[in-house]
Amino acid sequence: MISLSIIQSQNPILFFQFFQRLEEGGMFFMFPILIMLLLVFFLIIKAIISIRKNHVGLNKNIQLLNSIGLFSVVWGMLGQLIGIVGMFDKMEAISEISSDVFAGGLKVSALPPIFGFCVFIISRAASIVFTWISKEVE
């Protein structure tokens, strides 16, 4: 939270754009991915504490990181597919659509998978680092 407040004070436009993109991508899909991101950060902190306490429960944290990261990608892709189907339904009802509206719909439908992939990359990188640390100790 401290780093978020530092980022917000240094560049409030960036912070505002982040939440604007969350809302634009659809809160039904973006909010759970945000919760998964916060959960990934929590598990990273918990794994660091676990490393300091003789690796108790580290493998469980690594498995949870992997599962949450994969679920965030799948949830984002589901959001994209549902968004694209909704966009095609609206296009069918209008019958004539401009390229600007079409491009805007594709952009909005791409936001959940992008955010899901970001969560996946963070969780996978942490998983790799923690696996490497646990193998070095053994």
Side-chain angles (χ1 to χ4, degrees):
M1 290 309 272
I2 294 171
S3 63
L4 286 177
S5 63
I6 291 170
I7 291 171
Q8 182 182 11
S9 65
Q10 291 177 351
N11 194 353
I13 295 172
L14 178 69
F15 194 73
F16 177 72
Q17 284 180 348
F18 174 73
F19 284 106
Q20 186 178 10
R21 295 288 184 197
L22 280 178
E23 186 178 341
E24 190 177 9
M27 290 306 286
F28 182 74
F29 290 101
M30 298 293 273
F31 188 71
I33 297 173
L34 178 64
I35 297 296
M36 287 182 249
L37 176 65
L38 296 175
L39 189 57
V40 164
F41 287 145
F42 171 76
L43 288 172
I44 289 171
I45 292 169
K46 189 175 174 187
I48 291 171
I49 293 169
S50 172
I51 288 171
R52 291 185 178 191
K53 292 184 178 180
N54 298 327
H55 302 278
V56 176
L58 183 61
N59 289 332
K60 182 179 177 182
N61 284 338
I62 292 171
Q63 290 175 348
L64 280 171
L65 279 169
N66 290 334
S67 297
I68 291 170
L70 184 60
F71 185 71
S72 68
V73 171
V74 171
W75 188 253
M77 292 304 294
L78 178 66
Q80 180 178 33
L81 292 174
I82 290 174
I84 287 176
V85 168
M87 181 185 70
F88 285 145
D89 285 342
K90 290 178 184 175
M91 284 175 53
E92 186 178 38
I94 295 173
S95 74
E96 288 185 23
I97 192 161
S98 69
S99 60
D100 294 341
V101 173
F102 184 73
L106 285 178
K107 179 187 78 166
V108 168
S109 73
L111 290 173
I114 290 171
F115 193 35
F117 277 115
C118 290
V119 174
F120 175 75
I121 290 169
I122 292 169
S123 68
R124 185 57 71 173
S127 173
I128 290 168
V129 168
F130 294 136
T131 302
W132 179 38
I133 289 172
S134 70
K135 296 291 182 192
E136 287 217 352
V137 171
E138 290 176 1

